[in-house]
Amino acid sequence: MKRVLSFLVEWRAADPDGSAPPELPSWLVDSFSEPLSAEDKMLWLARWRAAGPEEKEALERQKGWELESWIHWFSTDNDMWAVESVEESDQGGVDITLSHDDDPFPFEALHWMADVAGFTLEGPVRSVV
């Protein structure tokens, strides 16, 4: 996870428009959902909008992340937050420093990657406001 996040930080700095997705490891690529058709996206969104909070969460988990939607959160197109640094912690985990404008802020893409990598995000996620 540290290697992927470090790579995404470098990619963001080198590719400011975020137009080309980076080379990602197969364990991550294999975890992405197949892209939905435009019609299926509209149907899913209508169902999501009509759902209550718990059902919305379940629908989001079932749908998963498409690469294009996920990579947006690590590109310069996302101006809500950015990964500032990634360090190995003394406890064997990864310390992630984020910069962000609002609190709370949507970092579900980061949370999903941690789950896929077999990590658990434990608080606090250090951030620079």
Side-chain angles (χ1 to χ4, degrees), residues 39-60:
E39 182 181 339
D40 287 341
K41 284 181 184 181
M42 295 293 287
L43 291 171
W44 185 89
L45 185 57
R47 184 173 174 198
W48 182 86
R49 285 180 174 156
E54 288 180 15
E55 187 181 357
K56 281 182 179 179
E57 221 175 280
L59 287 169
E60 291 167 3

Side-chain angles (χ1 to χ4, degrees), residues 6 10 18 27 29 33 35 54 66-68 75 77 79 86 89 92 94-95 106 108 112 116 118 120 129:
S6 296
E10 292 173 22
W27 62 263
V29 172
S33 299
E54 288 180 15
E66 295 177 16
L67 174 60
E68 186 177 303
S75 75
D77 289 343
D79 59 1
V86 184
S89 72
V94 178
D95 287 334
E108 289 81 8
W112 176 83
V116 168
T120 301
V129 182

Side-chain angles (χ1 to χ4, degrees), residues 4 7-8 11 13 17 20 23 30 44 56 66 68 76 79 82 84 87 89-90 99 101 107 109 119 121 123 125:
V4 173
F7 179 79
L8 289 169
W11 170 73
D17 67 357
E23 297 282 329
D30 293 345
W44 185 89
K56 281 182 179 179
E66 295 177 16
E68 186 177 303
T76 54
D79 59 1
E84 291 294 319
E87 308 281 331
S89 72
D90 295 337
S99 63
D101 292 331
F107 64 99
F119 285 91
L121 290 182
V125 173

Side-chain angles (χ1 to χ4, degrees), residues 58-123:
L59 287 169
E60 291 167 3
R61 272 195 311 275
Q62 290 167 357
K63 181 177 178 284
W65 281 90
E66 295 177 16
L67 174 60
E68 186 177 303
S69 298
W70 182 83
I71 201 68
H72 157 80
W73 291 100
F74 297 91
S75 75
T76 54
D77 289 343
N78 167 31
D79 59 1
M80 300 179 99
W81 60 267
V83 176
E84 291 294 319
S85 67
V86 184
E87 308 281 331
E88 288 185 36
S89 72
D90 295 337
Q91 295 78 27
V94 178
D95 287 334
I96 304 164
T97 303
L98 303 174
S99 63
H100 59 91
D101 292 331
D102 287 330
D103 200 18
F105 57 98
F107 64 99
E108 289 81 8
L110 182 61
H111 191 265
W112 176 83
M113 185 175 70
D115 285 345
V116 168
F119 285 91
T120 301
L121 290 182
E122 294 180 358

